[in-house]
Amino acid sequence: MNLRCIDLNLLVILKVLVEEGNATRAAEKIGVSQSAISHALRRLRMTFNDELFIRTPDGMTPTAYAASLAHTIEGSLRQIEDAIQSGRHFDPATTDRKFVMRVSDYAAVYFLPRLCREMRRAAPSAQLEVRHFDRRDYEQRIAKDEVQIRLAMNLRHEGESSSTRLLDDRFVVIMNPRHPAAGHAMDLARYLDLHHLKISVAGVGTNAIDEALAGMGLARKIAMTVPSWLEMRQVIETTDLVAVVPHHWLEAKEFSAFRSADLPLPHISLAIDLVWHPKDETDPAHTWFRGIVQRVFQPSPALQ
């Protein structure tokens, strides 16, 4: 086959279709219409004389030939992209690039307002798309062009992602300022005597607390369970319940008025990592964005 007969744009579309396994997602990622993807797929099938993809209930499954093609051309396309991008200067003040981030509730509460302010200041025309993790996706694979802020304990697939530590933190017990326990030392006996609000299964740290207590033959008094951190604050403000949160949350305005005490289980801690795809390692815009995330995520000296 003569290379001059092949439109390189079709190879890009083939690679993305293999990665996404879905025409709609491929169209969104490339920035074209779904009909353009369908037209390109017809041309690809004619060019390579192969069906390339088989429709299944889960999306589009590449044929063996399509998978082999995508693997072969990926490196070549990356070299072409790097050659085009090399030497270009990234200017955050003028960029209109869209940055994609996955973040969980426990990080979003503290982090997103600060990141938004910094992005608006440094890159006013840039876009930031924030997504939650799919709780059904236990593997949390990292996609190209996105970053993830997630628990270090959830970091999997070494070699398939790059990461750096954002924060090592501990947990504190929070309560409203009028709580009878406010201002008193928090030992384990006092902690167990209190009534608790618990974040349900996905709540970071909450299950570790109950597991640690169970190992000592103890249990706390759970008065209420909520599905996420977002429902917690007003309950704590207006009742005698207490809750456990990461220490760095105390810097957020919404939590600064609470009284706090160290969790009397010091071996339970929290580590949060910034994770990205290795293919984005040298992308100037991506490198800048990761730097912004790292700077913004640092707690103030008063909390360190």
Side-chain angles (χ1 to χ4, degrees):
M1 181 181 294
N2 194 322
L3 186 61
R4 288 179 297 179
C5 299
I6 301 176
D7 183 346
L8 290 181
N9 290 318
L10 294 179
L11 300 183
V12 173
I13 292 172
L14 173 64
K15 182 178 79 73
V16 175
L17 278 170
V18 170
E19 291 173 349
E20 297 295 330
N22 181 282
T24 301
R25 290 199 300 268
E28 291 175 351
K29 186 169 186 177
I30 297 172
V32 299
S33 67
Q34 190 169 347
S35 63
I37 293 292
S38 298
H39 178 67
L41 182 55
R42 287 195 296 271
R43 292 180 60 194
L44 282 164
R45 284 168 169 161
M46 292 177 60
T47 299
F48 294 107
N49 193 29
D50 187 88
E51 188 66 15
L52 297 179
F53 295 90
I54 300 170
R55 295 193 180 276
T56 69
D58 295 326
M60 301 172 62
T61 301
T63 64
Y65 183 57
S68 175
L69 272 175
H71 177 74
T72 301
I73 67 177
E74 182 177 13
S76 300
L77 291 175
R78 170 58 61 178
Q79 288 182 330
I80 294 172
E81 184 178 344
D82 288 345
I84 294 172
Q85 294 292 338
S86 63
R88 287 190 175 182
H89 174 67
F90 172 72
D91 182 6
T94 59
T95 187
D96 60 357
R97 178 162 171 168
K98 179 168 73 174
F99 297 93
V100 179
M101 155 184 294
R102 291 192 187 274
V103 61
S104 297
D105 288 345
Y106 59 83
V109 169
Y110 165 83
F111 169 67
L112 287 184
R114 296 158 61 99
L115 178 62
C116 183
R117 289 193 296 270
E118 181 62 22
M119 291 284 290
R120 295 298 301 151
R121 183 194 66 79
S125 297
Q127 303 174 59
L128 178 60
E129 181 177 331
V130 180
R131 303 171 181 171
H132 283 303
F133 289 102
D134 185 345
R135 292 182 179 178
R136 297 167 297 179
D137 180 13
Y138 296 105
E139 295 185 338
Q140 296 182 1
R141 290 184 182 273
I142 184 73
K144 185 182 178 298
D145 294 327
E146 77 171 16
V147 299
Q148 295 181 358
I149 297 177
R150 68 194 194 193
L151 285 178
M153 70 180 70
N154 288 345
L155 187 57
R156 299 184 177 93
H157 308 293
E158 292 185 9
E160 296 182 21
S161 62
S162 300
S163 66
T164 189
R165 180 59 45 86
L166 286 177
L167 185 70
D168 287 298
D169 202 6
R170 66 185 190 276
F171 288 100
V172 293
V173 183
I174 61 169
M175 63 198 76
N176 77 59
R178 302 172 302 282
H179 195 288
H184 293 280
M186 184 65 66
D187 58 18
L188 186 57
R190 184 184 297 275
Y191 178 72
L192 294 175
D193 194 47
L194 299 174
H195 290 83
H196 297 257
L197 180 148
K198 178 183 177 180
I199 313 300
S200 61
V201 177
V204 56
T206 59
N207 290 327
I209 292 170
D210 293 318
E211 290 167 3
L213 291 173
M216 296 184 283
L218 303 171
R220 53 181 176 160
K221 302 173 183 176
I222 306 295
M224 184 177 184
T225 302
V226 294
S228 77
W229 303 102
L230 302 179
E231 294 87 2
M232 176 188 67
R233 185 170 58 87
Q234 289 188 327
V235 175
I236 300 301
E237 283 178 343
T238 57
T239 71
D240 66 341
L241 301 189
V242 301
V244 172
V245 301
H247 180 249
H248 70 270
W249 277 22
L250 300 181
E251 189 174 355
K253 180 180 179 181
E254 295 84 355
F255 288 83
S256 60
F258 289 124
R259 298 297 294 270
S260 67
D262 286 342
L263 177 70
L265 296 165
H267 61 284
I268 298 178
S269 61
L270 170 71
I272 296 175
D273 283 347
L274 173 66
V275 186
W276 64 94
H277 199 287
K279 292 179 180 179
D280 296 316
E281 186 74 39
T282 59
D283 183 311
H286 207 273
T287 301
W288 171 84
F289 181 59
R290 297 196 305 267
I292 288 286
V293 171
Q294 290 177 263
R295 290 196 300 272
V296 171
F297 212 90
Q298 298 309 303
S300 67
L303 287 182
Q304 293 178 341

